[in-house]
Amino acid sequence: MAKKLNERSVLQIASEALPFAKTGGLADVLGALPPALARLGWDVTVVTPRYRGVTAGSLVERFPVTVGGFAADAGFFEAPLPDGARAILVDCPDLYDRDALYGVDNVDYTDNARRFAFLVRAALEVAARRAAAPSIVHVHDWQAGVAPVYLRTLYAGHPVLGGTRTVFTIHNLAYQGLFEPDWLPRIDLGWDEFTVDRMEYWSRISFLKGGINDATLLTTVSPRYAEEIQTPQLGFGFDGILRARRADLVGILNGIDTHEWDPAGDRFIPRPYSADDLSGKAAAKAAVLERYGLPSDADALKRPLVGMVSRMVDQKGFDLIAELSEDLLRLEASFVVLGTGDARYQDLWTALAAERPDRIGARIGFDEALAHLIEAGADLFLMPSRFEPCGLNQMYSMRYGTIPVVHAVGGLADTVTPKTGFVFTDYSPPALLGALTRALECFGNRQRWLALQRAGMTQDFSWDRSAKEYVKIYERALKRTRRA
Ligand code: ADP
């Protein structure tokens, strides 16, 4: 007898999701894609941990979940998401009630394998208790990478979940979920997973590799990145594994949350503005300069303001900036930077701000409201990433009439063109400086600048467009017979 399938229903599993917890773009995607899929008529459930400080949702179920020798009573809190989607927050204080999501001071928690295997088990167990299976299990990044592996192994003959098609989305290949192989028995997997065609990766196991090998279909978050990760330069050692599955790998550009990021209705900016009337942007510029304690007189307002909101890591091009710091001080521009990350980059920006308190503002921390104000108040947004799976900030920038200066890579190359921003191809300090200099020169030409702003502001970066592409992938996965 064919098993009962809940038509057009998707179970998503991710380690972070807005509005509950966020460290990066993954959470933005999980905040926006589920409602967009729901608007297309899909039944969407997102399962994510109930980290410290998350109070949303009401307890709907509680039952024991076991991973290896670790057993805990998990609480399942259901919270509504917009447009009829729902979230289930997995409560397990031993695993999730901690200072941070993944680790502190750049050191991962030593039991992350267990923490995220538990998340996946809990999510699958919730689904297994329903009378009808989700038609698709869609999982994100290494933290959920064992879901397709569990479906192939633990749940192979399961009456509800057996044979469920999976989609695995890679948001960032740099994070591979690598653990010592002795974790295998501790996450209920056999030693037969410890082979090169399964989870083994250079003497360790990789949750990412498990997801790549076992998912029915793979996606990544921009078409360019889908190509790049199949090359040795940007494949992080996974290019061969990905090339082997290239027929099943598709790039779908992320959308942005166009309600949350809308200069015409942004609660974090002093005056709304739009492509038709950009006058409110000046108020945001004054406000951001003041927030940073930088001069905000008429001269300062006339001077181009360069913004950055970013994790301060090599990926985001901070190594290039470090080499250019002397040159930046000489530019006829002001800078406002917000971010956290590697101590050397935090220290660099703090030192630059101390050296030029009239021109450079640095804020080390995570501040959603300030991120909005910078997007609105800056004239230029700097995003010189070495690699960029999709990138959201360049799209926010364009929507706010803030001109991006980007390295032509991944999603940056897919979204920024000479009509909307400044692009450099060579990943080198002179190339970055060249693009920034061109941008600053252009700032003096009001007509050209306005044309760039308007071209960016009127683009469609909505999730509705992306969600339709995900639905096509789900439909394609549903037509697949099971992978052997
Ligand atoms: P990534 O996911 O690689 O960090 P993205 O550009 O895809 O990069 O997404 C980053 C998201 O995180 C954006 O929404 C950005 O505004 C936000 N962000 C990053 N650092 C900070 C910070 N220090 N304060 C506020 N928001 C931040």
Side-chain angles (χ1 to χ4, degrees):
M1 193 181 83
K3 68 173 184 158
K4 251 177 98 185
L5 201 65
N6 199 350
E7 295 288 331
R8 288 159 69 80
S9 73
V10 57
L11 174 74
Q12 304 222 7
I13 310 174
S15 59
E16 51 184 275
L18 278 179
F20 312 110
K22 162 168 163 170
T23 67
L26 173 64
D28 293 277
V29 173
L30 270 295
L33 177 60
L37 288 167
R39 289 195 291 278
L40 295 176
W42 278 68
D43 181 75
V44 190
T45 303
V46 180
V47 182
T48 192
R50 191 164 195 259
Y51 295 109
R52 178 176 297 170
V54 177
T55 53
S58 39
L59 186 69
V60 289
E61 252 172 297
R62 184 178 284 286
F63 58 82
V65 174
T66 308
V67 173
F70 178 88
D73 245 0
F76 295 84
F77 287 74
E78 193 171 310
L81 296 173
D83 301 309
R86 78 186 71 79
I88 293 181
L89 300 150
V90 179
D91 187 47
C92 179
D94 274 357
L95 300 180
Y96 307 130
D97 183 12
R98 302 199 184 168
D99 290 339
L101 270 56
Y102 308 120
V104 283
D105 294 335
N106 270 334
V107 180
D108 287 344
Y109 293 127
T110 53
D111 58 350
N112 274 349
R114 172 182 299 129
R115 294 173 75 225
F116 295 108
F118 188 93
L119 171 71
V120 167
R121 272 316 286 276
L124 294 178
E125 283 300 309
V126 160
R129 286 170 170 241
R130 306 277 186 266
S135 32
I136 294 285
V137 172
H138 181 180
V139 302
H140 301 264
D141 273 354
W142 74 259
Q143 291 88 346
V146 290
V149 184
Y150 281 166
L151 285 166
R152 172 175 55 76
T153 55
L154 303 180
Y155 295 89
H158 191 278
V160 176
L161 291 181
T164 304
R165 308 296 187 271
T166 52
V167 174
F168 181 48
T169 298
I170 302 167
H171 298 256
N172 193 335
L173 195 65
Y175 301 97
Q176 305 177 338
L178 296 172
F179 302 100
E180 294 309 315
D182 63 1
W183 271 102
L184 279 174
R186 292 192 278 161
I187 56 169
D188 297 320
L189 291 174
W191 283 103
D192 50 345
E193 299 306 320
F194 195 55
T195 62
V196 285
D197 54 349
R198 294 237 165 119
M199 289 178 79
E200 199 228 311
Y201 187 75
W202 298 102
S203 307
R204 291 196 279 176
I205 56 164
S206 162
F207 279 27
L208 179 74
K209 187 170 172 182
I212 293 173
N213 279 337
D214 281 326
T216 314
L217 291 177
L218 306 173
T219 72
T220 188
V221 289
S222 70
R224 178 76 72 105
Y225 193 61
E227 298 298 320
E228 289 169 347
I229 57 180
Q230 297 177 45
T231 66
Q233 294 76 23
L234 290 170
F236 283 95
F238 276 68
D239 47 299
I241 299 161
L242 287 159
R243 280 197 302 278
R245 296 223 53 198
R246 80 176 145 238
D248 297 328
L249 169 63
V250 176
I252 300 178
L253 197 65
N254 284 336
I256 58 173
D257 185 330
T258 47
H259 295 290
E260 189 59 23
W261 293 91
D262 179 7
D266 189 321
R267 63 194 186 281
F268 300 117
I269 69 174
R271 266 184 58 200
Y273 63 91
S274 66
D276 296 329
D277 178 5
L278 274 147
S279 55
K281 194 165 165 61
K285 184 169 179 174
V288 75
L289 288 169
E290 279 158 27
R291 276 289 293 278
Y292 275 89
L294 295 171
S296 55
D297 53 79
D299 277 351
L301 286 173
K302 263 190 247 142
R303 191 179 309 122
L305 178 63
V306 182
M308 280 191 91
V309 179
S310 181
R311 291 183 292 120
M312 292 184 167
V313 293
D314 282 340
Q315 180 204 328
K316 298 294 182 178
F318 280 82
D319 51 341
L320 289 189
I321 293 171
E323 289 192 52
L324 284 176
S325 48
E326 289 302 310
D327 302 273
L328 297 186
L329 295 177
R330 279 194 291 272
L331 291 174
E332 197 33 54
S334 308
F335 289 83
V336 285
V337 179
L338 167 66
T340 53
D342 293 353
R344 65 182 188 282
Y345 297 134
Q346 297 186 168
D347 295 347
L348 170 76
W349 276 104
T350 310
L352 287 172
E355 197 174 333
R356 288 300 302 268
D358 58 325
R359 285 292 178 88
I360 298 183
R363 189 67 44 95
I364 307 304
F366 196 95
D367 186 336
E368 189 86 25
L370 186 56
H372 282 248
L373 192 60
I374 292 173
E375 286 291 5
D379 299 298
L380 286 152
F381 194 89
L382 190 55
M383 205 160 164
S385 309
R386 177 187 292 270
F387 66 93
E388 193 56 78
C390 175
L392 297 171
N393 277 307
Q394 82 281 12
M395 292 190 267
Y396 300 154
S397 298
M398 287 187 269
R399 201 158 153 75
Y400 280 73
T402 302
I403 307 303
V405 178
V406 304
H407 179 217
V409 75
L412 297 173
D414 283 332
T415 53
V416 182
T417 70
K419 284 200 171 69
T420 52
F422 294 86
V423 181
F424 62 97
T425 313
D426 220 27
Y427 188 75
S428 70
L432 165 56
L433 188 61
L436 193 52
T437 309
R438 285 202 311 280
L440 293 175
E441 278 164 16
C442 183
F443 182 74
N445 180 335
R446 296 317 295 163
Q447 279 314 103
R448 261 194 76 200
W449 196 257
L450 203 58
L452 284 174
Q453 287 182 307
R454 293 226 162 99
M457 292 179 88
T458 48
Q459 286 186 96
D460 178 10
F461 291 125
S462 71
W463 268 104
D464 293 330
R465 177 187 49 75
S466 310
K468 282 183 194 141
E469 292 190 57
Y470 278 104
V471 166
K472 279 190 213 146
I473 294 295
Y474 294 168
E475 286 167 352
R476 196 172 136 192
L478 283 168
K479 288 199 196 107
R480 275 294 165 87
T481 50
R482 285 192 66 188
R483 270 172 69 76

